[in-house]
mmCIF file of all heavy atoms in Angstrom:
data_model
loop_
_atom_site.group_PDB
_atom_site.id
_atom_site.type_symbol
_atom_site.label_atom_id
_atom_site.label_comp_id
_atom_site.label_asym_id
_atom_site.label_seq_id
_atom_site.Cartn_x
_atom_site.Cartn_y
_atom_site.Cartn_z
ATOM 1 N N LYS A 272 6.878 22.834 -3.918
ATOM 2 C CA LYS A 272 7.587 21.786 -4.651
ATOM 3 C C LYS A 272 6.638 20.650 -5.002
ATOM 4 O O LYS A 272 5.576 20.500 -4.415
ATOM 5 C CB LYS A 272 8.760 21.257 -3.825
ATOM 6 C CG LYS A 272 9.849 22.291 -3.569
ATOM 7 C CD LYS A 272 11.060 21.658 -2.900
ATOM 8 C CE LYS A 272 12.180 22.665 -2.725
ATOM 9 N NZ LYS A 272 13.390 22.050 -2.105
ATOM 10 N N GLU A 273 7.067 19.841 -5.947
ATOM 11 C CA GLU A 273 6.274 18.685 -6.328
ATOM 12 C C GLU A 273 6.451 17.563 -5.302
ATOM 13 O O GLU A 273 7.469 17.485 -4.613
ATOM 14 C CB GLU A 273 6.678 18.210 -7.719
ATOM 15 C CG GLU A 273 6.354 19.190 -8.826
ATOM 16 C CD GLU A 273 6.610 18.594 -10.201
ATOM 17 O OE1 GLU A 273 7.159 17.482 -10.284
ATOM 18 O OE2 GLU A 273 6.255 19.245 -11.193
ATOM 19 N N ARG A 274 5.479 16.708 -5.267
ATOM 20 C CA ARG A 274 5.576 15.520 -4.416
ATOM 21 C C ARG A 274 6.745 14.663 -4.875
ATOM 22 O O ARG A 274 6.963 14.494 -6.073
ATOM 23 C CB ARG A 274 4.278 14.733 -4.504
ATOM 24 C CG ARG A 274 4.216 13.479 -3.651
ATOM 25 C CD ARG A 274 2.908 12.767 -3.899
ATOM 26 N NE ARG A 274 2.771 12.332 -5.282
ATOM 27 C CZ ARG A 274 1.632 11.935 -5.842
ATOM 28 N NH1 ARG A 274 0.513 11.951 -5.123
ATOM 29 N NH2 ARG A 274 1.592 11.537 -7.099
ATOM 30 N N GLU A 275 7.464 14.107 -3.912
ATOM 31 C CA GLU A 275 8.596 13.267 -4.271
ATOM 32 C C GLU A 275 8.588 11.972 -3.469
ATOM 33 O O GLU A 275 8.110 11.911 -2.339
ATOM 34 C CB GLU A 275 9.926 14.001 -4.046
ATOM 35 C CG GLU A 275 10.241 14.336 -2.607
ATOM 36 C CD GLU A 275 11.632 14.947 -2.437
ATOM 37 O OE1 GLU A 275 12.383 15.047 -3.431
ATOM 38 O OE2 GLU A 275 11.968 15.312 -1.289
ATOM 39 N N PHE A 276 9.148 10.971 -4.088
ATOM 40 C CA PHE A 276 9.275 9.658 -3.462
ATOM 41 C C PHE A 276 10.305 9.712 -2.343
ATOM 42 O O PHE A 276 11.349 10.362 -2.463
ATOM 43 C CB PHE A 276 9.712 8.645 -4.524
ATOM 44 C CG PHE A 276 10.163 7.328 -3.975
ATOM 45 C CD1 PHE A 276 9.250 6.414 -3.492
ATOM 46 C CD2 PHE A 276 11.516 7.005 -3.952
ATOM 47 C CE1 PHE A 276 9.663 5.193 -2.990
ATOM 48 C CE2 PHE A 276 11.948 5.788 -3.461
ATOM 49 C CZ PHE A 276 11.014 4.876 -2.979
ATOM 50 N N VAL A 277 10.008 9.013 -1.247
ATOM 51 C CA VAL A 277 10.938 8.920 -0.128
ATOM 52 C C VAL A 277 11.424 7.480 0.050
ATOM 53 O O VAL A 277 12.618 7.217 0.046
ATOM 54 C CB VAL A 277 10.282 9.412 1.181
ATOM 55 C CG1 VAL A 277 11.225 9.204 2.364
ATOM 56 C CG2 VAL A 277 9.880 10.878 1.060
ATOM 57 N N ALA A 278 10.486 6.553 0.212
ATOM 58 C CA ALA A 278 10.855 5.163 0.461
ATOM 59 C C ALA A 278 9.659 4.269 0.188
ATOM 60 O O ALA A 278 8.510 4.727 0.225
ATOM 61 C CB ALA A 278 11.320 4.970 1.907
ATOM 62 N N ALA A 279 9.931 3.010 -0.090
ATOM 63 C CA ALA A 279 8.864 2.030 -0.291
ATOM 64 C C ALA A 279 9.363 0.662 0.141
ATOM 65 O O ALA A 279 10.572 0.402 0.157
ATOM 66 C CB ALA A 279 8.413 2.003 -1.749
ATOM 67 N N ILE A 280 8.412 -0.205 0.455
ATOM 68 C CA ILE A 280 8.756 -1.526 0.965
ATOM 69 C C ILE A 280 7.803 -2.550 0.381
ATOM 70 O O ILE A 280 6.615 -2.278 0.169
ATOM 71 C CB ILE A 280 8.705 -1.519 2.514
ATOM 72 C CG1 ILE A 280 9.304 -2.798 3.094
ATOM 73 C CG2 ILE A 280 7.287 -1.268 3.028
ATOM 74 C CD1 ILE A 280 9.557 -2.702 4.600
ATOM 75 N N THR A 281 8.321 -3.725 0.098
ATOM 76 C CA THR A 281 7.508 -4.780 -0.486
ATOM 77 C C THR A 281 6.508 -5.332 0.515
ATOM 78 O O THR A 281 6.588 -5.083 1.720
ATOM 79 C CB THR A 281 8.399 -5.921 -0.996
ATOM 80 O OG1 THR A 281 9.261 -6.348 0.079
ATOM 81 C CG2 THR A 281 9.236 -5.472 -2.178
ATOM 82 N N TRP A 282 5.583 -6.130 0.019
ATOM 83 C CA TRP A 282 4.479 -6.631 0.820
ATOM 84 C C TRP A 282 4.932 -7.388 2.061
ATOM 85 O O TRP A 282 4.258 -7.351 3.088
ATOM 86 C CB TRP A 282 3.604 -7.537 -0.043
ATOM 87 C CG TRP A 282 4.306 -8.788 -0.487
ATOM 88 C CD1 TRP A 282 5.149 -8.930 -1.554
ATOM 89 C CD2 TRP A 282 4.233 -10.074 0.139
ATOM 90 N NE1 TRP A 282 5.611 -10.214 -1.631
ATOM 91 C CE2 TRP A 282 5.061 -10.938 -0.611
ATOM 92 C CE3 TRP A 282 3.548 -10.574 1.238
ATOM 93 C CZ2 TRP A 282 5.209 -12.284 -0.288
ATOM 94 C CZ3 TRP A 282 3.699 -11.911 1.574
ATOM 95 C CH2 TRP A 282 4.530 -12.746 0.818
ATOM 96 N N ASN A 283 6.062 -8.048 1.972
ATOM 97 C CA ASN A 283 6.521 -8.852 3.109
ATOM 98 C C ASN A 283 7.705 -8.217 3.840
ATOM 99 O O ASN A 283 8.286 -8.830 4.731
ATOM 100 C CB ASN A 283 6.905 -10.247 2.633
ATOM 101 C CG ASN A 283 8.064 -10.226 1.656
ATOM 102 O OD1 ASN A 283 8.485 -9.161 1.196
ATOM 103 N ND2 ASN A 283 8.591 -11.392 1.319
ATOM 104 N N GLY A 284 8.054 -7.003 3.459
ATOM 105 C CA GLY A 284 9.180 -6.340 4.105
ATOM 106 C C GLY A 284 10.532 -6.845 3.658
ATOM 107 O O GLY A 284 11.552 -6.466 4.227
ATOM 108 N N GLY A 285 10.558 -7.663 2.636
ATOM 109 C CA GLY A 285 11.807 -8.270 2.222
ATOM 110 C C GLY A 285 12.729 -7.367 1.437
ATOM 111 O O GLY A 285 13.935 -7.644 1.322
ATOM 112 N N SER A 286 12.197 -6.312 0.888
ATOM 113 C CA SER A 286 13.014 -5.405 0.092
ATOM 114 C C SER A 286 12.470 -3.998 0.215
ATOM 115 O O SER A 286 11.267 -3.802 0.350
ATOM 116 C CB SER A 286 13.007 -5.844 -1.376
ATOM 117 O OG SER A 286 13.796 -4.984 -2.165
ATOM 118 N N ALA A 287 13.376 -3.026 0.169
ATOM 119 C CA ALA A 287 12.978 -1.631 0.254
ATOM 120 C C ALA A 287 13.752 -0.818 -0.768
ATOM 121 O O ALA A 287 14.812 -1.235 -1.260
ATOM 122 C CB ALA A 287 13.208 -1.085 1.658
ATOM 123 N N ASN A 288 13.229 0.345 -1.055
ATOM 124 C CA ASN A 288 13.830 1.247 -2.022
ATOM 125 C C ASN A 288 13.786 2.646 -1.412
ATOM 126 O O ASN A 288 12.778 3.012 -0.792
ATOM 127 C CB ASN A 288 13.044 1.196 -3.342
ATOM 128 C CG ASN A 288 13.827 1.697 -4.522
ATOM 129 O OD1 ASN A 288 14.710 2.521 -4.360
ATOM 130 N ND2 ASN A 288 13.510 1.205 -5.699
ATOM 131 N N TYR A 289 14.855 3.416 -1.582
ATOM 132 C CA TYR A 289 14.945 4.738 -0.972
ATOM 133 C C TYR A 289 15.355 5.789 -1.997
ATOM 134 O O TYR A 289 16.129 5.506 -2.925
ATOM 135 C CB TYR A 289 15.977 4.750 0.157
ATOM 136 C CG TYR A 289 15.638 3.865 1.328
ATOM 137 C CD1 TYR A 289 16.064 2.547 1.381
ATOM 138 C CD2 TYR A 289 14.875 4.357 2.387
ATOM 139 C CE1 TYR A 289 15.750 1.726 2.452
ATOM 140 C CE2 TYR A 289 14.559 3.549 3.467
ATOM 141 C CZ TYR A 289 14.994 2.242 3.494
ATOM 142 O OH TYR A 289 14.671 1.436 4.560
ATOM 143 N N ALA A 290 14.869 7.001 -1.775
ATOM 144 C CA ALA A 290 15.406 8.132 -2.526
ATOM 145 C C ALA A 290 16.832 8.389 -2.067
ATOM 146 O O ALA A 290 17.176 8.177 -0.903
ATOM 147 C CB ALA A 290 14.546 9.372 -2.272
ATOM 148 N N GLY A 291 17.644 8.866 -3.000
ATOM 149 C CA GLY A 291 19.033 9.101 -2.663
ATOM 150 C C GLY A 291 19.224 10.099 -1.537
ATOM 151 O O GLY A 291 20.178 9.993 -0.745
ATOM 152 N N SER A 292 18.312 11.063 -1.445
ATOM 153 C CA SER A 292 18.454 12.119 -0.442
ATOM 154 C C SER A 292 18.232 11.630 0.983
ATOM 155 O O SER A 292 18.613 12.312 1.940
ATOM 156 C CB SER A 292 17.469 13.245 -0.750
ATOM 157 O OG SER A 292 16.142 12.751 -0.746
ATOM 158 N N VAL A 293 17.614 10.448 1.145
ATOM 159 C CA VAL A 293 17.325 9.951 2.492
ATOM 160 C C VAL A 293 18.030 8.639 2.793
ATOM 161 O O VAL A 293 18.016 8.176 3.937
ATOM 162 C CB VAL A 293 15.806 9.769 2.710
ATOM 163 C CG1 VAL A 293 15.063 11.051 2.381
ATOM 164 C CG2 VAL A 293 15.248 8.595 1.908
ATOM 165 N N ARG A 294 18.636 8.038 1.792
ATOM 166 C CA ARG A 294 19.278 6.743 2.006
ATOM 167 C C ARG A 294 20.367 6.875 3.061
ATOM 168 O O ARG A 294 21.181 7.775 3.033
ATOM 169 C CB ARG A 294 19.852 6.218 0.690
ATOM 170 C CG ARG A 294 20.360 4.778 0.763
ATOM 171 C CD ARG A 294 20.796 4.275 -0.598
ATOM 172 N NE ARG A 294 19.668 4.142 -1.520
ATOM 173 C CZ ARG A 294 19.512 4.870 -2.627
ATOM 174 N NH1 ARG A 294 20.441 5.748 -2.949
ATOM 175 N NH2 ARG A 294 18.469 4.689 -3.403
ATOM 176 N N GLY A 295 20.349 5.960 3.999
ATOM 177 C CA GLY A 295 21.307 5.988 5.096
ATOM 178 C C GLY A 295 20.824 6.751 6.313
ATOM 179 O O GLY A 295 21.387 6.611 7.402
ATOM 180 N N ARG A 296 19.781 7.558 6.156
ATOM 181 C CA ARG A 296 19.209 8.305 7.271
ATOM 182 C C ARG A 296 17.810 7.805 7.636
ATOM 183 O O ARG A 296 17.418 7.831 8.804
ATOM 184 C CB ARG A 296 19.132 9.796 6.943
ATOM 185 C CG ARG A 296 20.463 10.439 6.645
ATOM 186 C CD ARG A 296 20.330 11.958 6.515
ATOM 187 N NE ARG A 296 19.458 12.341 5.410
ATOM 188 C CZ ARG A 296 18.377 13.120 5.549
ATOM 189 N NH1 ARG A 296 18.025 13.578 6.727
ATOM 190 N NH2 ARG A 296 17.658 13.450 4.476
ATOM 191 N N PHE A 297 17.037 7.399 6.644
ATOM 192 C CA PHE A 297 15.657 6.954 6.852
ATOM 193 C C PHE A 297 15.587 5.435 6.673
ATOM 194 O O PHE A 297 16.291 4.862 5.848
ATOM 195 C CB PHE A 297 14.712 7.600 5.850
ATOM 196 C CG PHE A 297 14.494 9.082 6.028
ATOM 197 C CD1 PHE A 297 15.274 9.836 6.891
ATOM 198 C CD2 PHE A 297 13.488 9.721 5.312
ATOM 199 C CE1 PHE A 297 15.061 11.195 7.049
ATOM 200 C CE2 PHE A 297 13.261 11.082 5.461
ATOM 201 C CZ PHE A 297 14.058 11.819 6.317
ATOM 202 N N THR A 298 14.689 4.817 7.428
ATOM 203 C CA THR A 298 14.440 3.384 7.302
ATOM 204 C C THR A 298 12.943 3.125 7.288
ATOM 205 O O THR A 298 12.232 3.560 8.189
ATOM 206 C CB THR A 298 15.070 2.606 8.465
ATOM 207 O OG1 THR A 298 16.480 2.871 8.514
ATOM 208 C CG2 THR A 298 14.847 1.111 8.287
ATOM 209 N N ILE A 299 12.496 2.419 6.262
ATOM 210 C CA ILE A 299 11.099 2.028 6.182
ATOM 211 C C ILE A 299 10.971 0.591 6.679
ATOM 212 O O ILE A 299 11.841 -0.256 6.402
ATOM 213 C CB ILE A 299 10.547 2.170 4.742
ATOM 214 C CG1 ILE A 299 9.034 1.950 4.717
ATOM 215 C CG2 ILE A 299 11.287 1.275 3.768
ATOM 216 C CD1 ILE A 299 8.399 2.289 3.364
ATOM 217 N N SER A 300 9.902 0.322 7.399
ATOM 218 C CA SER A 300 9.653 -1.030 7.891
ATOM 219 C C SER A 300 8.142 -1.226 7.997
ATOM 220 O O SER A 300 7.379 -0.265 7.870
ATOM 221 C CB SER A 300 10.325 -1.263 9.249
ATOM 222 O OG SER A 300 9.803 -0.377 10.221
ATOM 223 N N ARG A 301 7.732 -2.462 8.211
ATOM 224 C CA ARG A 301 6.308 -2.732 8.345
ATOM 225 C C ARG A 301 6.078 -3.874 9.309
ATOM 226 O O ARG A 301 6.946 -4.744 9.494
ATOM 227 C CB ARG A 301 5.694 -3.050 6.982
ATOM 228 C CG ARG A 301 6.162 -4.342 6.354
ATOM 229 C CD ARG A 301 5.668 -4.447 4.915
ATOM 230 N NE ARG A 301 4.220 -4.566 4.833
ATOM 231 C CZ ARG A 301 3.499 -4.301 3.737
ATOM 232 N NH1 ARG A 301 4.110 -3.903 2.626
ATOM 233 N NH2 ARG A 301 2.185 -4.454 3.739
ATOM 234 N N ASP A 302 4.909 -3.851 9.904
ATOM 235 C CA ASP A 302 4.463 -4.924 10.784
ATOM 236 C C ASP A 302 3.103 -5.367 10.267
ATOM 237 O O ASP A 302 2.090 -4.702 10.536
ATOM 238 C CB ASP A 302 4.390 -4.428 12.222
ATOM 239 C CG ASP A 302 4.066 -5.540 13.214
ATOM 240 O OD1 ASP A 302 3.504 -6.568 12.796
ATOM 241 O OD2 ASP A 302 4.357 -5.375 14.396
ATOM 242 N N ASN A 303 3.077 -6.447 9.535
ATOM 243 C CA ASN A 303 1.816 -6.888 8.923
ATOM 244 C C ASN A 303 0.808 -7.357 9.976
ATOM 245 O O ASN A 303 -0.400 -7.307 9.733
ATOM 246 C CB ASN A 303 2.077 -7.981 7.908
ATOM 247 C CG ASN A 303 2.667 -7.425 6.612
ATOM 248 O OD1 ASN A 303 2.717 -6.211 6.404
ATOM 249 N ND2 ASN A 303 3.126 -8.314 5.744
ATOM 250 N N ALA A 304 1.291 -7.786 11.114
ATOM 251 C CA ALA A 304 0.370 -8.192 12.176
ATOM 252 C C ALA A 304 -0.381 -6.991 12.742
ATOM 253 O O ALA A 304 -1.487 -7.135 13.271
ATOM 254 C CB ALA A 304 1.126 -8.905 13.284
ATOM 255 N N LYS A 305 0.241 -5.810 12.641
ATOM 256 C CA LYS A 305 -0.382 -4.585 13.146
ATOM 257 C C LYS A 305 -0.922 -3.702 12.030
ATOM 258 O O LYS A 305 -1.377 -2.581 12.291
ATOM 259 C CB LYS A 305 0.626 -3.793 13.979
ATOM 260 C CG LYS A 305 1.076 -4.511 15.239
ATOM 261 C CD LYS A 305 2.042 -3.648 16.042
ATOM 262 C CE LYS A 305 2.460 -4.353 17.330
ATOM 263 N NZ LYS A 305 3.406 -3.520 18.129
ATOM 264 N N ASN A 306 -0.825 -4.156 10.788
ATOM 265 C CA ASN A 306 -1.296 -3.363 9.644
ATOM 266 C C ASN A 306 -0.683 -1.966 9.637
ATOM 267 O O ASN A 306 -1.382 -0.972 9.386
ATOM 268 C CB ASN A 306 -2.827 -3.257 9.637
ATOM 269 C CG ASN A 306 -3.504 -4.501 9.124
ATOM 270 O OD1 ASN A 306 -2.869 -5.555 9.002
ATOM 271 N ND2 ASN A 306 -4.777 -4.425 8.832
ATOM 272 N N THR A 307 0.597 -1.896 9.895
ATOM 273 C CA THR A 307 1.252 -0.600 10.042
ATOM 274 C C THR A 307 2.593 -0.590 9.315
ATOM 275 O O THR A 307 3.332 -1.585 9.351
ATOM 276 C CB THR A 307 1.467 -0.264 11.529
ATOM 277 O OG1 THR A 307 0.204 -0.272 12.205
ATOM 278 C CG2 THR A 307 2.096 1.113 11.689
ATOM 279 N N VAL A 308 2.871 0.527 8.690
ATOM 280 C CA VAL A 308 4.171 0.764 8.089
ATOM 281 C C VAL A 308 4.795 1.971 8.786
ATOM 282 O O VAL A 308 4.091 2.897 9.197
ATOM 283 C CB VAL A 308 4.075 0.967 6.566
ATOM 284 C CG1 VAL A 308 3.262 2.206 6.223
ATOM 285 C CG2 VAL A 308 5.446 1.030 5.931
ATOM 286 N N TYR A 309 6.105 1.936 8.927
ATOM 287 C CA TYR A 309 6.816 2.970 9.664
ATOM 288 C C TYR A 309 7.874 3.631 8.787
ATOM 289 O O TYR A 309 8.383 3.039 7.843
ATOM 290 C CB TYR A 309 7.511 2.364 10.892
ATOM 291 C CG TYR A 309 6.600 1.598 11.808
ATOM 292 C CD1 TYR A 309 6.498 0.210 11.727
ATOM 293 C CD2 TYR A 309 5.838 2.256 12.764
ATOM 294 C CE1 TYR A 309 5.662 -0.508 12.572
ATOM 295 C CE2 TYR A 309 4.996 1.549 13.617
ATOM 296 C CZ TYR A 309 4.908 0.172 13.517
ATOM 297 O OH TYR A 309 4.074 -0.529 14.355
ATOM 298 N N LEU A 310 8.211 4.850 9.163
ATOM 299 C CA LEU A 310 9.352 5.529 8.554
ATOM 300 C C LEU A 310 10.168 6.127 9.699
ATOM 301 O O LEU A 310 9.758 7.112 10.310
ATOM 302 C CB LEU A 310 8.910 6.619 7.583
ATOM 303 C CG LEU A 310 10.060 7.290 6.825
ATOM 304 C CD1 LEU A 310 10.699 6.286 5.846
ATOM 305 C CD2 LEU A 310 9.569 8.512 6.055
ATOM 306 N N GLN A 311 11.298 5.500 9.982
ATOM 307 C CA GLN A 311 12.216 6.016 10.983
ATOM 308 C C GLN A 311 13.141 7.025 10.314
ATOM 309 O O GLN A 311 13.838 6.680 9.351
ATOM 310 C CB GLN A 311 13.035 4.875 11.592
ATOM 311 C CG GLN A 311 14.066 5.326 12.605
ATOM 312 C CD GLN A 311 13.448 5.906 13.863
ATOM 313 O OE1 GLN A 311 12.488 5.361 14.395
ATOM 314 N NE2 GLN A 311 14.005 7.022 14.341
ATOM 315 N N MET A 312 13.121 8.242 10.804
ATOM 316 C CA MET A 312 13.889 9.322 10.199
ATOM 317 C C MET A 312 14.930 9.808 11.207
ATOM 318 O O MET A 312 14.572 10.322 12.274
ATOM 319 C CB MET A 312 12.962 10.472 9.793
ATOM 320 C CG MET A 312 11.822 10.026 8.881
ATOM 321 S SD MET A 312 10.825 11.411 8.284
ATOM 322 C CE MET A 312 10.118 11.986 9.804
ATOM 323 N N ASN A 313 16.179 9.613 10.876
ATOM 324 C CA ASN A 313 17.285 10.031 11.733
ATOM 325 C C ASN A 313 18.070 11.166 11.088
ATOM 326 O O ASN A 313 18.022 11.354 9.873
ATOM 327 C CB ASN A 313 18.218 8.848 12.005
ATOM 328 C CG ASN A 313 17.537 7.722 12.750
ATOM 329 O OD1 ASN A 313 16.618 7.940 13.547
ATOM 330 N ND2 ASN A 313 17.991 6.496 12.506
ATOM 331 N N ASN A 314 18.797 11.884 11.919
ATOM 332 C CA ASN A 314 19.639 12.971 11.430
ATOM 333 C C ASN A 314 18.859 13.896 10.488
ATOM 334 O O ASN A 314 19.283 14.184 9.367
ATOM 335 C CB ASN A 314 20.873 12.412 10.726
ATOM 336 C CG ASN A 314 21.912 13.467 10.433
ATOM 337 O OD1 ASN A 314 21.935 14.531 11.059
ATOM 338 N ND2 ASN A 314 22.780 13.187 9.474
ATOM 339 N N LEU A 315 17.721 14.346 10.950
ATOM 340 C CA LEU A 315 16.851 15.173 10.114
ATOM 341 C C LEU A 315 17.508 16.497 9.774
ATOM 342 O O LEU A 315 18.284 17.063 10.570
ATOM 343 C CB LEU A 315 15.519 15.395 10.818
ATOM 344 C CG LEU A 315 14.577 14.195 10.748
ATOM 345 C CD1 LEU A 315 13.508 14.276 11.820
ATOM 346 C CD2 LEU A 315 13.929 14.113 9.369
#
């Protein structure tokens, strides 16, 4: 399959965007102090 978008988050974590197939199950977040972005995936 082709690569597909899952989720994205703004530079300050203030806004996020999700693909419809994962909305409500996945959560994107970031910790700028740790230079890390996360993707919490539930109900896989």
Side-chain angles (χ1 to χ4, degrees):
K272 295 187 176 182
E273 294 187 353
R274 181 183 62 195
E275 65 175 356
F276 168 75
V277 175
I280 191 167
T281 53
W282 65 277
N283 63 351
S286 180
N288 200 332
Y289 296 91
S292 59
V293 306
R294 189 175 293 115
R296 300 188 298 124
F297 291 11
T298 303
I299 188 171
S300 62
R301 67 189 294 160
D302 186 338
N303 284 350
K305 296 182 178 180
N306 282 14
T307 302
V308 63
Y309 305 97
L310 185 68
Q311 177 67 43
M312 305 185 295
N313 297 329
N314 191 21
L315 283 161

